[in-house]
Amino acid sequence: MSEKTPIKMLHDRVLVELDTEAGERRSSGGIVIPATAAMGAQRLAWARVVGVGPQARAVEVGDRVLFGPEDKAEVEVHGETYVVMRERDVHAVAAERVGDQATGLYL
């Protein structure tokens, strides 16, 4: 595969890039919690959409999406790690265009 080969996502697949803050977290008391720390409940992650298939209806390139780590498959492209998932595995979308739908939450 050459350096400039384009990639087209198929069906309802979504290609995302994990947010950089998805690693370490800081508690309200200032304690650093490493990404490897075990949590009682499964922790969801935020990522930025970099590609969508033609059948993805609610997600667009540039959106931030919330998903469960168990719903992902990682792939490396030119040294960068991305996550591929189905659109149905996305729990929420954060984008300016969804502001008209009165969610009550703002990031």
Side-chain angles (χ1 to χ4, degrees), residues 14-91:
V14 179
L15 182 69
V16 299
E17 182 176 42
L18 289 174
D19 283 356
T20 54
E21 65 261 11
E24 289 184 346
R25 303 182 312 277
R26 190 172 297 274
S27 73
S28 59
I31 298 171
V32 175
I33 303 167
T36 57
M39 299 291 292
Q42 192 66 29
R43 185 168 177 85
L44 299 177
W46 285 102
R48 181 150 321 274
V49 177
V50 295
V52 295
Q55 295 172 359
R57 297 180 298 169
V59 178
E60 296 178 5
V61 173
D63 290 351
R64 287 187 67 215
V65 294
L66 183 67
F67 69 97
E70 70 280 354
D71 300 325
K72 69 177 187 169
E74 291 186 359
V75 62
E76 187 173 317
V77 179
H78 303 301
E80 297 288 329
T81 302
Y82 297 94
V83 174
V84 178
M85 70 185 87
R86 291 179 176 267
E87 184 183 34
R88 70 179 180 204
D89 295 330
V90 173
H91 296 286

